[in-house]
């Protein structure tokens, strides 16, 4: 499911899981796989899914963002480099305005907060050279979820899955095997 960051993507994931359940697929056989914004959205959706019916079979997540404010900061840093400070006031205003127009609290968009207490088995993958979703944020999400994190040295944003030994499929297969798939 394509994710561009917003509540409707979160509910798209929830709706897809509910559709699968309505068609006889057990939650313990459903695994989410997502990257970057999609990985953050998957964590938000998992929080809501677990409140309404328990854990899924698992989630394989590459480079989730920590929260909306951090994602905006990192995006500006990646775009403007050392001149990012120039855009900080505009960033704060844009987040406030987006929340007001769309009727949401930007501070509530926090995969980091959503990860705490999840019962769905998670595995995270990232590169230590990722400037879009930097390692400290992904480490914080992994710690909050008590989930294993695989860090690929030298890998940038969404490069870890291609650079890890055996590729993303080998990494995912190993986790799925542990989870009984």
């Amino acid at each position: 499911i394509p994710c561009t960051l917003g509540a409707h993507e979160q509910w798209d994931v929830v709706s897809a899981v509910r559709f699968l359940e309505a068609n006889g697929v057990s939650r313990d056989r459903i695994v989410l796989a997502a990257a970057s914004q999609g990985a953050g959205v998957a964590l938000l959706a998992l929080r809501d899914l677990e409140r309404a019916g328990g854990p899924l079979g698992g989630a394989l997540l590459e480079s989730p963002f920590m929260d909306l404010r951090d994602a905006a900061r990192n995006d500006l840093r990646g775009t403007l480099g050392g001149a990012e400070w120039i855009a900080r006031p505009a960033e704060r205003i844009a987040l406030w305005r987006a929340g007001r127009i769309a009727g949401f609290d930007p501070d509530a968009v926090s995969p980091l907060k959503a990860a705490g207490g999840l019962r769905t088995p998670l595995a995270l993958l990232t590169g230590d050279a990722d400037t879009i979703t930097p390692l400290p944020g992904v480490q914080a999400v992994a710690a909050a979820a008590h989930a294993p994190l695989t860090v690929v040295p030298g890998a940038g944003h969404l490069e870890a899955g291609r650079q890890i030994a055996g590729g993303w499929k080998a990494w995912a297969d190993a986790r799925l095997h542990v989870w009984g798939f």
Side-chain angles (χ1 to χ4, degrees):
I1 297 173
C3 297
T4 57
L5 195 61
H8 64 279
E9 286 87 6
Q10 175 181 337
W11 291 111
D12 286 348
V13 175
V14 170
S15 295
V17 169
R18 289 186 178 150
F19 174 82
L20 290 170
E21 288 181 298
N23 285 280
V25 179
S26 172
R27 274 183 179 231
D28 65 351
R29 303 309 300 165
I30 299 171
V31 175
L32 301 180
S36 194
Q37 288 182 340
V41 169
L43 288 164
L44 296 168
L46 281 170
R47 176 197 58 204
D48 295 331
L49 285 162
E50 287 192 10
R51 283 184 192 153
L56 300 185
L60 302 165
L61 307 174
E62 184 172 353
S63 302
F65 67 96
M66 190 168 68
D67 60 43
L68 188 55
R69 291 191 187 281
D70 188 60
R73 245 185 328 274
N74 293 331
D75 190 53
L76 279 176
R77 185 177 305 116
T79 303
L80 300 176
E84 68 179 286
W85 61 271
I86 294 170
R88 290 288 169 235
E91 170 195 318
R92 285 190 287 281
I93 292 168
L95 285 172
W96 171 81
R97 182 95 169 111
R100 190 161 173 182
I101 290 170
F104 75 98
D105 176 5
D107 292 324
V109 181
S110 177
L112 175 62
K113 290 178 187 172
L118 289 177
R119 294 174 290 145
T120 297
L122 304 175
L124 285 81
L125 175 66
T126 195
D128 68 357
D130 187 339
T131 59
I132 304 299
T133 52
L135 183 56
V138 180
Q139 288 172 319
V141 171
H146 304 288
L149 170 61
T150 302
V151 179
V152 179
H157 190 61
L158 303 183
E159 295 175 347
R162 290 190 308 272
Q163 293 183 16
I164 194 167
W168 189 89
K169 183 178 182 330
W171 173 80
D173 284 348
R175 273 96 203 132
L176 292 170
H177 179 73
V178 169
W179 298 339
F181 285 90

